[in-house]
Amino acid sequence: MSAPQGLLLDYPFDAPPARGQAREVAPRMFWLRMPLPFALDHINLWLLKEADSITQIDCGYGDAATRELWREHFKTTLDGRPITRIVATHCHPDHLGNAKWLSDRFGAAVAMTEAEFLAAHAIIDQRATHGVTDTCALFRRHGMSDDHVTALAARGNHYKNGVPEAPQHFERLISGDAFSAGGTTWRVIPGFGHSPEHAALHAQERGVLIAGDMLLPKITTNVAVWPVEPDGDPLARFLNSLTAFELLPPDTLVLPSHGLPFRGISLRVAQLRAHHAARLNELAEAVVSAQAPQSAADVIPVLFRRPLDMQQRFFAMGEAIAHLNHLWHAGRIKRVIEPDEAIRFTA
């Protein structure tokens, strides 16, 4: 969604660092960019330097291409300093993928929230309704076609491709926790809806927010329903989480996981709220005006107006359910469970 006329985000950096290079974005804070093997083709990582050590924020996707790039940074960017602490903003593969690999190499502690730590292990082990079969069953109930369900099942545990191993122990982060890194103090700001217990990091003294996936400058964060909480309202949790960010100083430098760093935090939050409000209105109108109850699969074209590959359809399905659940919880539409357990929504 574009900004209102006359209101634009400020991008202090016009381009990301080149492959294998790091760019200083604030004193002792460095920006690395790593590749991703899907349509969203990059992730930004943040390296905080001390005189004799490094704190690494997020780790990149756990594949050979990313690890080869890390080896280049070991020789150059790290400049002989060891990584002594790893902070994972959340459990998704592009953030946690190399945490154990880096931890094993340097003997570094891994810090993250407990919910993210437990979710990573549940997905890797396919436990507690975090398995592929559970997702297939949920999506089938919400109208996903048999061929798409079969293709999803055939991928297997796709998460494990990006997180071959998760850390076996961790340092727990909770809301309001503070720690020192890069010559300043960072405070944990929790976020919900995108992942179980996302940890953004705010350095008030430096005016910097490492936003993870909670605030992205060009795209909207994926907010989806998964089998572990099939009747949940993660969109409400996400929108409520944004309040903590819009209260930060307006000149805060936001370091997002995807896209370019930016300033204009309250504007971006307003854009995100307006975007979701508009899409919810369109979705409610589509459901109410339909001649028959609608499934999540039926309404994907309302929310996503472009062709989707399997990876994108996987996220789109979860996001469609999240938006329908939000309207249902708000009393704007009705949920109907058919005799065959199929879930549909109507006026």
Side-chain angles (χ1 to χ4, degrees):
M1 176 176 179
S2 62
Q5 189 173 4
L7 295 175
L8 296 172
L9 299 179
D10 172 43
Y11 295 97
F13 306 99
D14 58 3
R19 174 189 166 87
Q21 297 183 9
R23 184 168 188 174
E24 192 167 17
V25 295
R28 295 162 65 174
M29 300 179 194
F30 292 83
W31 175 14
L32 285 62
R33 178 165 282 200
M34 298 285 187
L36 293 177
F38 30 79
L40 184 60
D41 62 2
H42 73 274
I43 179 171
N44 301 321
L45 310 179
W46 312 101
L47 184 149
L48 312 177
K49 285 188 178 181
E50 309 293 345
D52 57 359
S53 64
I54 283 170
T55 294
Q56 179 58 43
I57 313 298
D58 288 334
C59 306
Y61 198 80
D63 62 0
T66 302
R67 291 182 179 182
E68 182 58 33
L69 192 50
W70 262 121
R71 291 185 183 97
E72 294 181 27
H73 284 290
F74 295 159
K75 299 174 183 177
T76 55
T77 306
L78 270 63
D79 193 27
R81 298 174 175 86
I83 295 174
T84 56
R85 181 196 285 121
I86 298 160
V87 179
T89 58
H90 59 299
C91 71
H92 292 166
D94 46 339
H95 300 262
L96 188 65
N98 292 299
K100 188 175 188 303
W101 181 72
L102 289 171
S103 177
D104 289 348
R105 181 184 179 96
F106 292 100
V110 178
M112 56 196 303
T113 64
E114 185 172 48
E116 301 290 340
F117 176 81
L118 295 176
H121 283 278
I123 301 170
I124 287 174
D125 296 339
Q126 300 285 277
R127 295 178 180 270
T129 64
H130 286 78
V132 175
T133 56
D134 303 301
T135 302
C136 288
L138 176 68
F139 287 2
R140 180 180 281 112
R141 291 188 70 195
H142 280 277
M144 179 175 267
S145 66
D146 288 343
D147 59 333
H148 284 143
V149 170
T150 299
L152 179 60
R155 298 195 322 167
N157 187 353
H158 200 63
Y159 180 85
K160 200 169 182 179
N161 293 343
V163 188
E165 293 182 280
Q168 293 299 305
H169 47 80
F170 74 117
E171 292 183 355
R172 186 180 179 186
L173 299 176
I174 63 173
S175 174
D177 274 358
F179 63 90
S180 296
T184 192
T185 299
W186 299 87
R187 179 175 61 87
V188 174
I189 301 178
F192 303 95
H194 175 64
S195 66
E197 191 183 3
H198 184 290
L201 306 171
H202 180 228
Q204 181 176 359
E205 180 186 26
R206 297 278 177 84
V208 175
L209 174 74
I210 296 178
D213 281 347
M214 289 300 294
L215 287 176
L216 305 176
K218 295 289 187 181
I219 61 175
T220 55
T221 300
N222 176 259
V223 178
V225 164
W226 303 113
V228 69
E229 193 183 4
D231 298 338
D233 188 359
L235 184 54
R237 295 187 185 278
F238 176 76
L239 295 172
N240 288 339
S241 297
L242 294 179
T243 301
F245 300 110
E246 67 187 337
L247 296 176
L248 296 179
D251 61 347
T252 298
L253 176 63
V254 180
L255 306 181
S257 292
H258 309 284
L260 298 176
F262 67 93
R263 289 188 174 91
I265 191 167
S266 60
L267 171 60
R268 186 57 184 146
V269 170
Q271 291 174 350
L272 291 171
R273 292 193 190 282
H275 168 84
H276 283 291
R279 304 322 296 275
L280 286 165
N281 287 338
E282 292 172 12
L283 185 58
E285 182 179 353
V287 171
V288 169
S289 63
Q291 295 183 351
Q294 298 289 288
S295 70
D298 291 332
V299 303
I300 282 179
V302 178
L303 297 174
F304 299 91
R305 297 160 185 165
R306 64 184 187 277
L308 302 174
D309 61 25
M310 176 49 64
Q311 175 80 356
Q312 293 166 331
R313 181 167 289 278
F314 171 73
F315 288 114
M317 192 70 184
E319 191 148 348
I321 301 170
H323 281 73
L324 288 166
N325 274 10
H326 186 78
L327 292 170
W328 167 51
H329 282 291
R332 297 177 64 181
I333 59 175
K334 179 181 177 181
R335 191 177 78 163
V336 177
I337 300 181
E338 307 285 0
D340 63 355
E341 296 299 312
I343 297 173
R344 301 291 184 266
F345 297 84
T346 188

